[in-house]
Amino acid sequence: MDRTLIRNFCIIAHIDHGKSTLADRLLEVTGLVSGRDRRAQYLDNMELERERGITIKAQTVRLPYTASDGKSYILNLIDTPGHVDFSYEVSRALAACEGAVLVVDAAQGIEAQTLANAYLAVDAGLEIIPVVNKIDLPSADPDGVAEEIEEVIGFDAADVLHVSAKQGIGTHELLEQIVSNVPPPKGDPDAPTRALVFDSWFDPYVGAAMLVRVVDGKLRSGERVRMMAGGLEKEITELNVIDPRPRRVEHLEAGEVGVVIAGVKTLAEVKIGDTLTMTSAPAEEPLVGFQDVKPMVFTGLYPIESDGYEGLKSALEKLQLNDASLVYEPETSDALGFGFRCGFLGFLHAEIVQERLEREYDVDLISTAPTVRYRIVLTSGESKEIESPANLPSAGELHCIEEPVVLATIHVPQEFVGGVLKLCQERRGVQRDMVQHGTRVQVRYDLPLSEIVLDFHDKIKSVTRGYGSFDYELTGYQASDLVKLDVLVNGDPVDALSLIVHREKAYSRGTELTRKLKEFIPRQMYEVAIQAAVGARVIARTTVKALRKNVTSKCYGGDITRKRKLLEKQKAGKRRMKRVGSVEIPQEAFLAALKLEDS
Amino acid sequence: MDYPDGVSAATVGVYVHVPFCERVCPYCDFAVVGVRTLTAEVERRYVDALLRELELRRPAFAGRELASLYLGGGTPSLCRPESLARIVRAARAAFEVRGPVEVTLEANPSTLERERLPGFRDAGVNRLSLGIQSFDDATLKRLGRAHRGDEARLTLQAARTAGFEALSCDLIFAAPDQGLPQLEADIDELLAFAPEHVSAYELNVEPGTPFATAAERGQLACAGEDEALAMWDAIESRLEAAAYVHYELSAYARPGFEAVHNQRYWRRQPVLGLGVGAFSTDPRGSRGDAPFGLRRSNLRSPDAYLARIEAGESAESEPAEALSPETARAEAMFLSLRTRSGLDAAAFEREFGRPPRGFYPDEITTLVAQALLAEDSAGGLRLTRRGQRLSDTVFANFVELGD
């Protein structure tokens, strides 16, 4: 394979700017997929991806293309995910490319992730081809957006391609530009083999599949390879390229992208960012890899039915086979029983995992309030990290709590700036700067991560009527006045409802929590006091009055069986309740308290 | 009046369901069907079917003494006296009759029914159960009842004149917008007629009824827990002050006028149910695999019922339920505890092999500690005053859950 005829590129865009549609169109115009086989979002395999219209896992496909210079090229399209939670996957994909097509919606203009992704691509040294997409929309303003691209990112507006992926306008020009502007892969075909593992997934038939970009040398089927960081040595049983279905090849050469199957049983054995080399003639230095992805958001996941633990465990195991970024460990709650503390990349990731558990694995879940990883400094000077309010040491041992902070970048039309600033202030944000680009404004805030994990993205969308966009990166830790808020029923703490909150928000959260619980805890034989407390100090209190009447009037012939069934139902309902001390709490109360709007 | 011993196993009670109503109450979930007028043709066909079903089902109760006959519905008093006379005659002929038989007829306050009262008396009805519910026109209207307060008063007088041996009145409470003062007025007015028996029912919003729909839409202002409790207390204190005995959760009687038929259910005595939607409890041992009796239920659609019976087939809607020992035990607990006399530990032990504590030791200890149950020295159990008001909470302890 002549390396000068290979182009490795990806498409980067803000969510919904038409990245997947453009990829589909490129598959079609290069003849890889016929119009008849076409289905929306060809590269988005998972049901959930298709449904939510987002890409979660990076994908790759090899496009044959005969350019106007008469030569036949191989264009490797490496798809990237489009949500902020998965930006780490974007960086991985970028490492396998020499070029990136930056897609901007002709009606929406530059959004937060447009910029974030563009900067990632620039940092990775990629050649960028700016494209204005959706020029067929009535509300499209391609020239205005091209100027915005010039002003904000610094590309010449005249170089911005006008494309409608939906209508197939400008796609040939785009392919020509990929050929002419994106450099062919560098690397030495005769040097010892080095291939970068930039993604992997689990296949039930062959085990872990590794998506690689060969940088130097050559991978040959049947030969042994070594993972330079992981140390594992295996024989390559299969090499594939995808066009658009997997196709066996005998070797992959420098510059090529393909899938390696080597009898690796679990994803845990594959380290993304590792370098593959041939055992027979190993390279000396590995390629520069990636930082490990660390989960940022944690929740406890518990089965609603107490006998659902084993089902949840095996579902998590299966899910992790394909999602190495999901971490979990067993956790026990007095109120909820046996479950798992799970770590996620972000709140969307958490939501997707929960949805998949419920939908694909049929597990009914209860999830505790999301929390972040706090850094605890003890009076002894020691420090440690905790991912659950339950692990917070007592006030006596505690010197201070540090929380993770992010730099949030928000893009918003001018008229909505006020709402965004107010929201950021409420979330304990500190403004860094605010820059105007035409009619749009870029606002940057330092914000505690805990303030954005739950519903910040939704709130941004609602205060900007959907026009605002948001991206964030973790910047570090800061000491904050944080307290543990406990909920007590008749004096007994309900561990599953404990929260770490800022002192100033403890009162409103506590009031809201007790109010919600009162709504859902049924009257019992005794009055039930529901309290919210910080340490020993009760900050909110409400009571559920004692049950005084529970009687069915009539009971004659036909009613006896029915009455008995009603009693059985009542008893079954009682059995499903969680007992905290002497108080019975129904599942709905937990769900309601955990779904509590951030106040 | 002296009826056959209620505890005797050698008796039978017959329940006859007449599903027809001139209008269907919006809170009713019984097997009923609205008819503008009950034609003689439909009436004759239905009574024919009842008598055929009696012949069909009689063998399971063969040789028993008839203790009670209850004509319920629906509105059985829409039937002509001659039709009811046929039923009474057939029931008496089907079983042993040695003494007086309690024959109850449910009736509503209406002109038509009022005029027929002497005829019903002549047909053999000796106990009249009147659906008075309230004397307040506004409350009756909100309940969707056809009658008004004046008709209730006239009917009560006419019933007295007709000379029934016992008069029972249904009273409803916690009806929409009723309020405690109105209920108290209803009780006082009812007591002025000195009925022998009063059944006081809280309005329950049953799924599938128009009231359930209204309640979902927030259009139904029924009493909350506290007000309904105050109403319960008011009924109990006023009726007890007037020398009525609160002998079952929702039933009050002047001594000697406790309902013979109704007590059969709480004592788990065999009842033969005839007609649309009727339930039966066949005597224990009537089938080899049913040492604790069989529960049967009939189809709820009149057309389907008639078709089956006229073809000489059973009108049961599903296979009979052979009561398991666990089910029978649970029912023994919650049915006997509904009554003032409560649960007799010795009788319970004779039937199930162990006294109540042998099955529910922890539950009974807890419930006694919570002052919901009172236990006598022989292990017998009764609901306390508080336990009556929380009886469903108490009873839920005794039912069995399958896994």
Side-chain angles (χ1 to χ4, degrees):
Chain A
M1 180 84 232
D2 182 356
R3 265 188 305 141
T4 61
L5 297 178
I6 298 177
R7 299 291 182 272
N8 293 319
F9 75 104
C10 58
I11 307 175
I12 52 179
H14 188 76
I15 189 165
D16 284 342
H17 281 199
K19 181 168 62 69
S20 296
T21 313
L22 181 58
D24 287 349
R25 181 61 67 174
L26 294 182
L27 260 63
E28 203 184 311
V29 298
T30 54
L32 214 54
V33 179
S34 75
R36 210 182 39 175
D37 286 348
R38 190 164 173 229
R39 46 179 194 180
Q41 302 187 11
Y42 200 89
L43 295 179
D44 294 352
N45 285 331
M46 234 187 289
E47 183 193 353
L48 206 59
E49 291 188 347
R50 225 169 264 278
E51 212 167 276
R52 291 199 172 211
I54 55 170
T55 311
I56 298 166
K57 298 295 288 181
Q59 295 283 333
T60 187
V61 66
R62 181 174 173 140
L63 311 171
Y65 178 65
T66 305
S68 55
D69 61 9
K71 294 182 195 162
S72 293
Y73 290 87
I74 291 293
L75 312 181
N76 284 310
L77 163 57
I78 293 148
D79 197 20
T80 59
H83 191 275
V84 51
D85 277 7
F86 302 99
S87 60
Y88 75 102
E89 290 210 12
V90 177
S91 347
R92 291 172 180 178
L94 296 179
C97 301
E98 280 78 36
V101 175
L102 174 66
V103 177
V104 185
D105 185 308
Q108 307 284 328
I110 289 178
E111 300 276 7
Q113 284 155 250
T114 315
L115 268 189
N117 288 332
Y119 292 148
L120 286 174
V122 170
D123 288 348
L126 266 51
E127 180 65 31
I128 294 178
I129 301 173
V131 163
V132 174
N133 188 25
K134 304 194 192 179
I135 57 165
D136 57 304
L137 289 181
S139 55
D141 176 16
D143 294 326
V145 171
E147 274 165 37
E148 198 187 0
I149 292 175
E150 173 168 330
E151 189 187 336
V152 178
I153 314 178
F155 299 114
D156 195 333
D159 292 340
V160 175
L161 278 178
H162 290 205
V163 169
S164 163
K166 201 171 153 202
Q167 312 232 320
I169 303 166
T171 43
H172 275 286
E173 290 81 347
L174 174 58
L175 288 166
E176 286 298 322
Q177 280 217 9
I178 291 169
V179 168
S180 58
N181 293 10
V182 175
K186 294 189 201 69
D188 183 350
D190 302 316
T193 306
R194 291 198 297 174
L196 177 71
V197 180
F198 67 94
D199 198 5
S200 69
W201 60 88
F202 185 78
D203 182 296
Y205 298 104
V206 297
M210 293 175 277
L211 189 58
V212 304
R213 155 73 194 272
V214 183
V215 175
D216 296 322
K218 184 187 247 200
L219 289 172
R220 281 180 222 89
S221 192
E223 291 193 14
R224 288 183 79 78
V225 279
R226 182 198 301 162
M227 299 188 195
M228 295 185 73
L232 197 68
E233 275 195 23
K234 288 278 181 186
E235 185 188 311
I236 298 177
T237 56
E238 237 180 79
L239 289 174
N240 287 288
V241 293
I242 299 173
D243 59 355
R245 291 185 183 76
R247 177 166 63 81
R248 291 281 274 271
V249 292
E250 281 311 303
H251 46 77
L252 286 174
E253 294 175 22
E256 287 193 285
V257 173
V259 181
V260 178
I261 311 287
V264 182
K265 289 202 181 56
T266 67
L267 275 195
E269 295 170 84
V270 178
K271 190 172 172 297
I272 305 291
D274 205 345
T275 302
L276 294 187
T277 191
M278 305 303 284
T279 310
S280 53
E284 293 192 356
E285 286 292 317
L287 298 161
V288 178
F290 312 106
Q291 281 197 327
D292 274 347
V293 190
K294 279 180 109 179
M296 302 230 267
V297 178
F298 302 85
T299 69
L301 291 185
Y302 292 84
I304 285 191
E305 306 290 342
S306 52
D307 58 5
Y309 177 80
E310 287 302 324
L312 174 58
K313 187 176 168 203
S314 90
L316 281 168
E317 279 165 5
K318 283 188 202 136
L319 212 51
Q320 202 186 37
L321 287 178
N322 241 326
D323 183 356
S325 53
L326 166 69
V327 299
Y328 63 90
E329 56 184 51
E331 178 182 76
T332 315
S333 151
D334 294 339
L336 299 179
F338 294 104
F340 296 92
R341 175 117 308 231
C342 302
F344 307 97
L345 301 168
F347 194 61
L348 181 80
H349 185 213
E351 245 181 48
I352 285 172
V353 167
Q354 280 179 46
E355 225 175 295
R356 292 190 63 188
L357 286 170
E358 300 205 313
R359 187 188 303 191
E360 294 168 32
Y361 298 93
D362 202 22
V363 184
D364 289 329
L365 290 176
I366 213 168
S367 135
T368 64
T371 178
V372 298
R373 181 185 279 125
Y374 293 97
R375 196 176 279 165
I376 305 299
V377 183
L378 301 174
T379 43
S380 64
E382 222 180 302
S383 76
K384 62 172 185 173
E385 292 188 335
I386 61 158
E387 290 143 17
S388 162
N391 299 337
L392 197 66
S394 66
E397 296 173 71
L398 195 61
H399 174 64
C400 73
I401 307 178
E402 292 176 356
E403 63 179 335
V405 275
V406 301
L407 174 61
T409 308
I410 299 152
H411 279 248
V412 57
Q414 214 164 5
E415 64 255 51
F416 301 120
V417 169
V420 169
L421 298 188
K422 183 164 169 281
L423 177 65
C424 290
Q425 288 318 127
E426 284 167 6
R427 299 298 175 95
R428 299 191 282 131
V430 176
Q431 197 185 103
R432 263 220 202 164
D433 52 30
M434 185 152 72
V435 188
Q436 180 117 15
H437 301 298
T439 61
R440 292 176 71 86
V441 179
Q442 173 188 292
V443 190
R444 296 200 303 165
Y445 263 86
D446 288 305
L447 277 159
L449 178 63
S450 65
E451 297 284 349
I452 64 167
V453 290
L454 192 54
D455 58 350
F456 190 71
H457 205 169
D458 292 342
K459 279 278 154 64
I460 287 279
K461 287 281 172 204
S462 81
V463 299
T464 64
R465 297 219 200 110
Y467 290 110
S469 63
F470 155 70
D471 195 17
Y472 67 87
E473 56 181 309
L474 200 61
T475 49
Y477 274 79
Q478 72 181 18
S480 298
D481 191 6
L482 299 170
V483 294
K484 183 169 171 223
L485 179 68
D486 291 313
V487 174
L488 301 98
V489 290
N490 279 358
D492 289 311
V494 187
D495 59 357
L497 296 180
S498 291
L499 293 171
I500 293 176
V501 293
H502 194 262
R503 191 179 298 278
E504 279 171 18
K505 295 195 170 178
Y507 176 75
S508 61
R509 285 301 282 267
T511 311
E512 185 72 354
L513 261 174
T514 50
R515 192 184 60 75
K516 260 276 163 347
L517 282 174
K518 180 182 173 164
E519 226 175 273
F520 285 93
I521 294 181
R523 289 188 176 193
Q524 326 222 338
M525 299 306 295
Y526 309 99
E527 187 175 279
V528 176
I530 305 171
Q531 298 167 307
V534 170
R537 197 165 58 89
V538 172
I539 57 169
R541 184 199 155 100
T542 179
T543 53
V544 177
K545 285 206 278 178
L547 181 70
R548 295 168 64 207
K549 180 183 148 297
N550 179 23
V551 50
T552 315
S553 289
K554 274 182 204 187
C555 191
Y556 302 118
D559 301 324
I560 295 174
T561 302
R562 200 174 67 136
K563 164 97 172 160
R564 191 184 72 230
K565 289 188 173 149
L566 286 174
L567 291 170
E568 284 166 1
K569 215 169 136 189
Q570 184 181 328
K571 185 171 184 173
K574 218 171 136 102
R575 187 167 285 182
R576 268 200 308 278
M577 288 196 218
K578 304 290 182 184
R579 245 187 126 82
V580 175
S582 61
V583 182
E584 280 154 348
I585 306 178
Q587 297 289 356
E588 302 83 71
F590 288 99
L591 291 173
L594 296 169
K595 274 201 187 126
L596 204 64
E597 280 270 298
D598 199 2
S599 42
Chain B
M1 202 185 314
D2 217 8
Y3 295 104
D5 172 21
V7 195
S8 159
T11 60
V12 60
V14 176
Y15 174 81
V16 171
H17 190 81
V18 179
F20 310 109
C21 282
E22 283 183 325
R23 67 200 274 179
V24 176
C25 298
Y27 53 86
C28 176
D29 74 333
F30 290 135
V32 294
V33 52
V35 289
R36 191 157 293 160
T37 45
L38 182 57
T39 64
E41 166 61 21
V42 170
E43 183 178 326
R44 189 191 50 74
R45 192 175 162 204
Y46 189 72
V47 174
D48 285 350
L50 289 172
L51 302 193
R52 245 183 120 168
E53 192 187 14
L54 172 63
E55 284 310 307
L56 215 62
R57 299 273 290 109
R58 190 167 70 129
F61 302 84
R64 289 176 173 262
E65 184 186 354
L66 183 66
S68 62
L69 171 63
Y70 195 100
L71 303 161
T75 317
S77 49
L78 288 181
C79 292
R80 289 146 185 83
E82 308 86 82
S83 298
L84 300 188
R86 284 179 68 201
I87 299 171
V88 175
R89 275 198 305 272
R92 292 180 69 100
F95 303 104
E96 301 290 314
V97 175
R98 296 196 198 104
V101 178
E102 180 195 80
V103 180
T104 305
L105 172 69
E106 285 181 352
N108 286 326
S110 79
T111 313
L112 171 85
E113 290 159 270
R114 196 158 57 244
E115 287 167 352
R116 286 180 180 170
L117 289 179
F120 292 144
R121 182 73 192 90
D122 292 342
V125 174
N126 50 31
R127 183 173 180 271
L128 198 65
S129 174
L130 286 172
I132 300 294
Q133 315 308 355
S134 172
F135 294 97
D136 177 45
D137 288 353
T139 300
L140 290 167
K141 198 170 169 203
R142 278 190 295 267
L143 285 170
R145 300 290 299 191
H147 73 274
R148 296 292 171 261
D150 278 343
E151 276 181 308
R153 295 175 188 106
L154 286 173
T155 301
L156 277 161
Q157 284 157 5
R160 282 297 181 217
T161 311
F164 291 98
E165 291 165 37
L167 211 51
S168 177
C169 295
D170 288 354
L171 199 61
I172 209 158
F173 69 99
D177 297 303
Q178 183 182 27
L180 184 59
Q182 180 56 52
L183 174 77
E184 289 173 333
D186 281 338
I187 303 168
D188 291 344
E189 183 158 9
L190 187 63
L191 287 176
F193 291 96
E196 282 71 28
H197 189 278
V198 176
S199 293
Y201 301 128
E202 179 175 349
L203 178 76
N204 287 326
V205 177
E206 301 291 351
T209 61
F211 266 27
T213 314
E216 274 162 31
R217 296 190 185 137
Q219 295 163 343
L220 208 61
C222 289
E225 185 183 318
D226 291 341
E227 195 188 6
L229 180 67
M231 290 176 161
W232 175 284
D233 290 345
I235 293 166
E236 187 180 66
S237 61
R238 276 169 199 245
L239 287 175
E240 285 184 345
Y244 288 80
V245 178
H246 191 183
Y247 74 101
E248 190 264 352
L249 288 174
S250 47
Y252 296 82
R254 287 174 30 207
F257 287 95
E258 294 85 357
V260 172
H261 187 80
N262 293 352
Q263 289 191 91
R264 297 188 71 81
Y265 297 112
W266 308 320
R267 291 175 173 166
R268 299 184 306 119
Q269 292 164 333
V271 170
L272 168 58
L274 303 174
V276 169
F279 284 75
S280 300
T281 305
D282 286 12
R284 54 204 68 177
S286 61
R287 215 172 72 185
D289 63 342
F292 291 92
L294 284 166
R295 177 117 348 112
R296 300 178 188 270
S297 61
N298 277 353
L299 293 163
R300 284 171 68 98
S301 144
D303 288 341
Y305 169 82
L306 288 170
R308 288 267 200 92
I309 295 296
E310 287 169 2
E313 293 165 12
S314 150
E316 283 171 77
S317 59
E318 52 197 284
E321 179 194 7
L323 298 177
S324 69
E326 294 77 19
T327 300
R329 203 165 67 212
E331 291 187 358
M333 294 295 291
F334 77 74
L335 289 172
S336 63
L337 285 173
R338 290 186 68 89
T339 64
R340 180 183 173 83
S341 47
L343 182 137
D344 178 339
F348 185 94
E349 185 170 0
R350 271 199 302 280
E351 185 173 1
F352 298 106
R354 276 184 267 167
R357 273 201 179 267
F359 295 104
Y360 311 105
D362 300 342
E363 288 85 349
I364 291 172
T365 299
T366 306
L367 292 167
V368 169
Q370 290 174 336
L372 296 169
L373 273 186
E375 189 177 24
D376 63 32
S377 56
L381 298 168
R382 274 184 307 109
L383 290 175
T384 61
R385 192 182 144 83
R386 179 165 181 250
Q388 289 178 346
R389 283 148 182 79
L390 291 166
S391 50
D392 282 350
T393 304
V394 175
F395 298 161
N397 286 281
F398 305 123
V399 293
E400 299 281 330
L401 291 186
D403 289 314

